[in-house]
Amino acid sequence: MRKFLVVLDDSRECLNAMRFAAMRASNTGGGVEILSIIPPDEFQHWIGVGDIMRAEARERIEVHFEVFAKWMRDRQGVDPHLVIREGEPVPEIMAQVHDDPDIGVLVLGAGTGKGGPGPLVTQLTRNSGTLPIPITIVPGGLTKEQLETVT
C-alpha cells in the first residue's frame, strides 16, 4: 500500500498538509504515515533532565497526533501511523523516506507569511532531485473546500 508521509509540527500549514494526505489516502486506498521529529537541542541538559524532557516531548507529540488521527479515522476512514524520530528535521525526513519503501509521496504544507513557504519546504525542494519519491506542497491558504476539490 502506498503511504503519504506528512510531517507533524507546530506550524499552521501542517493542518492543510494533514488534511490533504488523509483525503488523498482515502480517495486512492492509501495510508498515512505521520512523522514527528524531536530536535536534538531540546535535550542539552543533564542526563536525567534530558530523559524527562524527551519523555514529555513524546507525550506532547502523541497527544497532538491523536487529534489528527481521530479526524482521519472519523472523517476519512484512514488509520494513520505515527513515527517519532530524534535529530535534525531534513536528514530525519530523508532517512524515513529511505527506511520505509511503502512511502510513495512526501506531503508538506507551505506557509503563507512573508517568511516564505517555511524551512522544510525550502530545504527539501532543493534536495527534491535526489529524493526517490515526489513531494506534494500544499498551500497553507487553501480552504477545506479547495482541498476536497483537488484531492
Side-chain angles (χ1 to χ4, degrees), residues 42-43 45-56:
E42 286 191 24
F43 310 115
H45 301 281
W46 297 295
I47 292 174
V49 175
D51 290 343
I52 291 169
M53 291 177 72
R54 184 176 285 110
E56 288 173 351

Side-chain angles (χ1 to χ4, degrees), residues 16 24-25 38 54 58 68 86 99 117 124 127 131 138 149:
N16 269 1
R24 286 293 298 147
I38 302 171
R54 184 176 285 110
R58 286 181 173 277
F68 288 111
E86 293 181 25
D99 289 351
L124 285 165
N127 297 327
L131 278 171
V138 182
T149 301

Side-chain angles (χ1 to χ4, degrees), residues 26 70-78 144:
S26 178
K70 181 176 179 0
W71 178 84
M72 288 182 187
R73 288 194 284 282
D74 293 351
R75 297 282 177 95
Q76 302 300 322
V78 173
K144 187 172 71 170

Side-chain angles (χ1 to χ4, degrees), residues 18-147:
M18 291 285 175
R19 286 179 175 157
F20 180 89
M23 290 176 186
R24 286 293 298 147
S26 178
N27 291 336
T28 62
V32 174
E33 185 165 285
I34 298 175
L35 173 63
S36 188
I37 302 158
I38 302 171
D41 56 332
E42 286 191 24
F43 310 115
Q44 301 299 323
H45 301 281
W46 297 295
I47 292 174
V49 175
D51 290 343
I52 291 169
M53 291 177 72
R54 184 176 285 110
E56 288 173 351
R58 286 181 173 277
E59 186 175 316
R60 278 192 313 272
I61 289 167
E62 289 168 2
V63 168
H64 200 180
F65 164 77
E66 275 307 316
V67 171
F68 288 111
K70 181 176 179 0
W71 178 84
M72 288 182 187
R73 288 194 284 282
D74 293 351
R75 297 282 177 95
Q76 302 300 322
V78 173
D79 192 18
H81 174 72
L82 175 64
V83 174
I84 301 174
R85 295 180 79 117
E86 293 181 25
E88 294 300 328
V90 172
E92 292 302 326
I93 292 167
M94 300 288 280
Q96 187 63 31
V97 167
H98 290 290
D99 289 351
D100 188 342
D102 292 333
I103 294 172
V105 178
L106 172 60
V107 180
L108 300 173
T112 58
K114 292 180 181 177
L120 288 182
V121 171
T122 301
Q123 292 174 31
L124 285 165
T125 53
R126 280 189 206 132
N127 297 327
S128 62
T130 62
L131 278 171
I133 60 170
I135 299 175
T136 297
I137 299 173
V138 182
L142 290 182
T143 66
K144 187 172 71 170
E145 293 75 23
Q146 288 171 316
L147 283 170

